[in-house]
Amino acid sequence: MISRAKSEALFTEALNYIPGGVNSPVRAFRAVGGKPFFVNKAKGCRVWDVDGNEYIDYVGTWGPAILGHAHPKIISAVKAAADRGTSFGIPNPAEVTMAKLICSLVPSVQKVRMTNSGTEACMSAIRLARGFTKRDKIIKFDGCYHGHADCLLVKAGSGALTFGNPDSAGVPADFAKHTIVLPYNETEPLKAAFAANKSEIACIIVEPVAGNAGLFVPKPGWLEFLREITKANGALLIFDEVMTGFRLAPGGAQEKFGITPDLSTFGKIIGGGLPVGAFGGRADIMDYLAPLGPVYQAGTLSGNPLAMAAGIAALEELGIQATPKRISKKDTMAIARLTGKLTKFGNRTQALPYVHPSGKVAPGKVSAYVRLEQLGALLEVAMREAAKSAGVPVTFNRCGSMFCSYFTSDPVWNLSDAMKADRERFKKFFHGMLDAGVYLAPSQFEAGFISLAHSEADIEKTVSAAAEVMKAI
């Protein structure tokens, strides 16, 4: 049994000074029981707690660490930026570089504005949509999280056409009444909502791949339907790509699924691990923002030089590398073991060759995103096999390098499906994996993330631990 005595002492002390002992609720382990560990350092795909315990990390600071923790190019960029000043409150060249990078990678984004968080980006995009359309109502989907702005902390009412109810104390009902909450992946409730609210709906905001209730992907044609119904009704379509942006593809989920939204929000990866957010889209809509237009939005630290330096380094590195070395003998052996199982599932990834530092696809070489897909496929297939061998019902949802294991035998397409999962079994699984040195998100309703720092050997160790834990639960 590993010791976390120092973490427990820190948590006890934190409870005296920080509400719940944490600065974001999920970190408190309330969904899984027990006490959280306190991290001391992180490098690559691993974190070490203050007691010296080492874990393979699949949380990746909730998404930003796509290159792995403490990537040397990001660290160097931040140090160099800090030498020039930590904050200006004045336009700086890095803001322009970042904006150009985002616009070049995401074709739907013609202009972009930086913020300090994903919450701020989503809140601002919705305000802009309301100002541009001169309408008040918005549609969001059950199980999608777009930050803790008042209009977004709303849960579904008793029927698809009812106004939402506040999902947090402190949110006035008058704010919530402008938000319509509908089930993800369904079309009929959307048709009914637009029919009942003609010329009143400003926008739909959606996670194109929902990563805040575990992970569920859009059914074929559903995102296309969102695009069609918003166009037909003069509403805007907002893709919340805070999680999926620059993770599922260089152009995010909208590139992966071939959909062009009117506005998009970003965060996480574009900060390289520092606080950041952004929203962008069509130039005619973005020009409604002050100082050009009537929609006000501002931020003292928006475009902060440290966050810009880290984000630019992360995006540039994603474009030129996937893994910096040839696959080791250890990884080659892991591939052989794991890909032996892949043949049962169509052998989607073949042999996982090493990646040239240029990132160019050549014989035997793959890009960063192909590499992430390969690692994700290995994890998916091997986890399915482990669950099957243990006789444990598991639905493993994955999209690229994002994943979630639901303890249910039924498909999971939306929040209603996710709620059927066996959360008590997940708690046991989480703690069993943690004791085995694998850190997963401490909630059944959070996505996991694979980074370019993970190796086949890491995947093999993870699956081996999962197989043993599943047999025990």
Side-chain angles (χ1 to χ4, degrees):
M1 190 72 175
I2 63 176
S3 171
R4 298 193 185 94
K6 292 181 180 178
S7 281
E8 290 179 7
L10 274 170
F11 186 56
T12 298
E13 184 178 12
L15 287 167
N16 294 322
Y17 303 100
I18 304 171
V22 295
N23 284 305
S24 190
V26 72
R27 301 177 195 173
F29 279 29
R30 292 291 182 90
V32 292
K35 298 177 181 179
F37 68 84
F38 279 60
V39 68
N40 181 50
K41 66 175 181 178
K43 180 70 176 176
C45 70
R46 283 170 164 73
V47 296
W48 289 263
D49 67 21
V50 292
D51 292 278
N53 300 307
E54 178 182 328
Y55 308 91
I56 300 175
D57 179 22
Y58 288 98
V59 176
T61 188
W62 303 97
I66 192 169
L67 297 172
H69 294 289
H71 191 279
K73 290 195 176 180
I74 294 177
I75 299 299
S76 296
V78 172
K79 286 180 177 178
D83 284 341
R84 297 189 293 271
T86 59
S87 183
F88 306 129
I90 304 168
N92 70 84
E95 297 175 71
V96 181
T97 301
M98 174 60 81
K100 289 169 67 178
L101 265 173
I102 293 173
C103 290
S104 67
L105 290 167
V106 188
S108 73
V109 177
Q110 296 173 329
K111 290 188 177 182
V112 62
R113 178 163 286 181
M114 303 307 301
T115 65
N116 295 291
S117 70
T119 290
E120 189 182 337
C122 290
M123 174 186 74
S124 302
I126 288 171
R127 180 186 299 163
L128 178 57
R130 284 171 162 159
F132 183 78
T133 61
K134 297 177 176 59
R135 299 174 180 180
D136 293 335
K137 294 180 182 178
I138 67 171
I139 291 176
K140 70 178 290 286
F141 298 96
D142 222 358
C144 288
Y145 176 73
H146 308 288
H148 58 270
D150 285 352
C151 68
L152 294 169
L153 286 179
V154 178
K155 58 187 176 183
S158 58
L161 299 182
T162 62
F163 289 126
N165 304 305
D167 202 21
S168 170
V171 178
D174 281 349
F175 289 5
K177 73 180 183 181
H178 295 299
T179 302
I180 301 168
V181 186
L182 302 176
Y184 192 91
N185 262 330
E186 295 188 19
T187 58
E188 292 305 315
L190 274 163
K191 293 177 183 177
F194 274 100
N197 298 275
K198 288 185 180 297
S199 301
E200 294 184 80
I201 296 171
C203 66
I204 289 176
I205 184 167
V206 63
E207 288 182 86
V209 175
N212 284 284
L215 185 84
F216 32 86
V217 300
K219 290 181 178 179
W222 189 67
L223 294 178
E224 288 85 348
F225 175 77
L226 298 188
R227 179 65 286 180
E228 292 166 4
I229 198 168
T230 47
K231 277 187 176 180
N233 288 275
L236 301 186
L237 178 60
I238 304 174
F239 268 17
D240 177 351
E241 296 236 42
V242 171
M243 272 193 184
T244 56
F246 314 101
R247 174 166 283 279
L248 299 185
Q254 54 195 272
E255 175 184 330
K256 183 177 181 67
F257 295 104
I259 308 296
T260 303
D262 300 297
L263 293 172
S264 303
T265 62
F266 306 102
K268 298 190 184 291
I269 287 172
I270 62 168
L274 274 66
V276 76
F279 64 105
R282 284 169 29 198
D284 61 321
I285 300 174
M286 292 301 293
D287 284 345
Y288 251 64
L289 287 171
L292 296 178
V295 177
Y296 190 74
Q297 184 275 335
T300 298
L301 295 176
S302 297
N304 177 271
L306 301 188
M308 296 300 95
I312 290 166
L315 291 179
E316 289 181 343
E317 189 66 6
L318 272 175
I320 64 169
Q321 72 107 53
T323 184
K325 60 180 180 355
R326 289 179 180 272
I327 286 179
S328 67
K329 182 178 180 180
K330 182 179 180 183
D331 280 347
T332 301
M333 293 172 66
I335 292 168
R337 286 187 289 268
L338 290 169
T339 54
K341 297 171 183 175
L342 287 178
T343 57
K344 301 175 184 178
F345 293 86
N347 197 14
R348 284 182 292 171
T349 64
Q350 301 299 325
L352 300 189
Y354 79 94
V355 181
H356 190 274
S358 70
K360 295 179 180 178
V361 178
K365 303 177 177 68
V366 295
S367 73
Y369 294 97
V370 171
R371 172 69 173 167
L372 288 167
E373 171 62 29
Q374 291 173 336
L375 291 171
L378 276 177
L379 180 65
E380 176 186 353
V381 172
M383 286 291 283
R384 288 179 186 271
E385 184 72 16
K388 182 180 178 181
S389 297
V392 175
V394 170
T395 292
F396 191 95
N397 281 0
R398 181 182 68 86
C399 188
S401 57
M402 298 172 65
F403 66 90
C404 180
S405 297
Y406 293 100
F407 285 88
T408 176
S409 57
D410 297 326
V412 177
W413 291 105
N414 53 37
L415 182 60
S416 178
D417 293 337
M419 294 299 290
K420 298 173 185 175
D422 188 339
R423 281 169 274 176
E424 290 304 313
R425 182 168 261 175
F426 175 83
K427 291 178 184 179
K428 295 174 183 177
F429 179 70
F430 169 82
H431 283 289
M433 293 297 282
L434 194 65
D435 288 343
V438 179
Y439 178 48
L440 303 170
S443 169
Q444 172 68 91
F445 304 116
E446 296 286 354
F449 301 93
I450 298 169
S451 76
L452 289 165
H454 286 89
S455 68
E456 287 78 8
D458 295 319
I459 301 292
E460 184 182 34
K461 182 177 179 180
T462 300
V463 172
S464 178
E468 292 302 313
V469 173
M470 285 184 188
K471 290 175 184 176
I473 61 171

